[in-house]
Amino acid sequence: MIATMPARSLVRSLALAACAASAIAMSGTASRAADKVNFAVPAVPPVFGGVVAYVAKDVGIFEKYGLDVTVRAMDSGAAAAQAVNAGSMDMSMSPTPFVATMISNAGAPMKAIWGMDKADWLVASMNPAKMSCDSMKGQGVGVDSPRGARWIQLNTFLINKCKLAIDKDVPTVPLSSNVGTAMASGQITFGVLHIDDAPVIERMSGKKVHVIADLEDVAPGQHYLVGIVRQDNLAKRRDVFVRVVAALRDAAAYMKEPANADKVAVIAEVTKREKSEALAALKAYIKMEFWPQGHVGLAKERIARAIGNQVAVGKSTQGKSGIKPDKTPVTFEQFVDLTVWADAQKMKK
């Protein structure tokens, strides 16, 4: 009896030790699985395109892929791209023309691993009597930031349709995503808008928004946004970014389901849209496949047009904007990594 008690105690102690070791190992695995990612989206408050990242976070899709993602809204998609380049953010949704220019002019070590093919840009006026190029001369036009996405679209419009120089013939007013608020309050007459901005401006002002130009008509087939990472970070944490792309794919599919519309509209309050406005915007954007469904959203033809447009802008401005004439434009193959999407397609949570 005296001999057997220590043996039982030893067995019990060994069993408890084994359980403790197993718990520690499981804890370590869980900790390692929750990889941290800092994800930047355009504008403060965020533009509607960035809602896909908030959906992935708020409904737990990132978490299912073992990701702990912080979604941060930045002043513009251009600022978000610069933050990725500087290493303070891991990934961003940024305007394709801006990133193509960064890579071409400065050799920024970026790779696009996900994207949104279709843009929804408008140049608009609050005054139906001011709808011409001449009426815009000397008038401040609301954009996001100098050389940000809205600035780039205004520049494209002025060069192609008006033969006017941005910030010379037509001054710009940087307002992040608050262009609509400034137009509604009467601070500015002209602005570069997303299609979902117009109903909000009309509600706030009680006045009609008049569309001067749809940028898809001015420069058809342009690419909108790319999800970008630094090449060195991609090499070190490739599996993490594969899971981020898989989560964005699943979030886009979640948003498409009519049964999820109300929940998405609530999440979209981060854009400062009322629920009815968010529901209307969601319906319109799903119809145009704003967020890619079943593909990576990096259409070669659209990206090539975006790069080509920046080459033309660079020539027309003697390198002050766009891709400088003495620089070699980035190619699609240099710009894009499609293998991340291929691997993301192999996983589904």
Side-chain angles (χ1 to χ4, degrees):
M1 185 71 169
I2 296 173
T4 56
M5 287 300 290
R8 289 175 181 173
S9 297
L10 178 61
V11 170
R12 186 179 299 110
S13 297
L14 289 172
L16 289 172
C19 289
S22 176
I24 291 170
M26 290 176 66
S27 174
T29 300
S31 176
R32 286 194 299 273
D35 293 295
K36 294 185 179 295
V37 177
N38 292 313
F39 194 116
V41 296
V44 180
V47 295
F48 212 90
V51 170
V52 66
Y54 288 96
V55 168
K57 181 175 178 63
D58 290 359
V59 304
I61 298 173
F62 281 139
E63 184 180 1
K64 287 180 181 179
Y65 282 98
L67 300 167
D68 178 8
V69 179
T70 299
V71 182
R72 180 181 171 191
M74 304 194 74
D75 282 344
S76 66
Q82 290 164 341
V84 172
N85 191 38
S88 60
M89 300 299 291
D90 296 307
M91 183 170 177
S92 74
M93 293 170 61
S94 294
T96 308
F98 181 84
V99 179
T101 301
M102 282 181 72
I103 298 172
S104 301
N105 287 351
M110 302 292 192
K111 280 290 186 182
I113 59 174
W114 181 82
M116 294 173 62
D117 286 327
K118 299 176 183 178
D120 67 330
W121 295 114
L122 307 172
V123 178
S125 170
M126 294 302 295
N127 187 339
K130 294 184 177 181
M131 299 283 287
S132 67
C133 292
D134 284 343
S135 66
M136 297 177 72
K137 286 183 180 180
Q139 302 297 307
V141 180
V143 298
D144 46 356
S145 64
R147 290 170 176 75
R150 296 181 195 238
W151 188 97
I152 289 171
Q153 298 305 320
L154 177 62
N155 194 32
T156 299
F157 169 73
L158 294 175
I159 288 173
N160 286 279
K161 289 295 183 182
C162 300
K163 311 304 179 188
L164 297 174
I166 195 168
D167 290 326
K168 181 181 178 182
D169 301 317
V170 179
T172 56
V173 183
L175 295 164
S176 188
S177 59
N178 295 302
V179 175
T181 302
M183 293 177 73
S185 65
Q187 296 177 58
I188 55 175
T189 299
F190 303 100
V192 181
L193 306 174
H194 289 288
I195 59 174
D196 67 303
D197 289 326
V200 179
I201 297 170
E202 291 177 344
R203 169 177 58 80
M204 294 172 67
S205 67
K207 299 178 181 178
K208 182 174 176 55
V209 173
H210 304 275
V211 176
I212 298 172
D214 184 328
L215 267 298
E216 180 65 17
D217 296 330
V218 175
Q222 295 287 314
H223 196 274
Y224 176 36
L225 289 179
V226 281
I228 57 167
V229 297
R230 277 184 63 101
Q231 291 182 30
D232 54 354
N233 202 15
L234 178 60
K236 292 174 185 175
R237 308 179 72 203
R238 190 176 184 282
D239 172 65
V240 171
F241 292 116
V242 168
R243 283 181 276 141
V244 170
V245 168
L248 292 172
R249 174 203 62 204
D250 293 357
Y254 179 96
M255 294 167 73
K256 186 179 180 181
E257 290 298 321
N260 299 328
D262 282 346
K263 192 163 187 177
V264 173
V266 171
I267 294 170
E269 289 178 0
V270 69
T271 67
K272 304 304 179 185
R273 301 287 182 260
E274 293 187 354
K275 185 177 179 181
S276 61
E277 293 163 345
L279 285 170
L282 180 64
K283 183 177 180 180
Y285 283 135
I286 291 296
K287 184 177 181 180
M288 68 178 281
E289 200 182 328
F290 202 38
W291 303 280
Q293 298 290 334
H295 60 94
V296 68
L298 296 171
K300 184 173 184 177
E301 298 79 5
R302 285 184 174 269
I303 289 177
R305 286 194 184 106
I307 295 169
N309 187 65
Q310 290 305 94
V311 170
V313 169
K315 288 179 180 178
S316 66
T317 62
Q318 291 76 52
K320 294 179 181 178
S321 300
I323 296 174
K324 296 178 180 179
D326 63 339
K327 298 293 184 179
T328 301
V330 63
T331 65
F332 176 80
E333 289 72 22
Q334 292 167 336
F335 195 0
V336 170
D337 185 335
L338 297 176
T339 67
V340 176
W341 169 258
D343 287 345
Q345 284 293 80
K346 298 173 186 176
M347 59 173 60
K348 177 77 175 177
K349 297 288 184 182

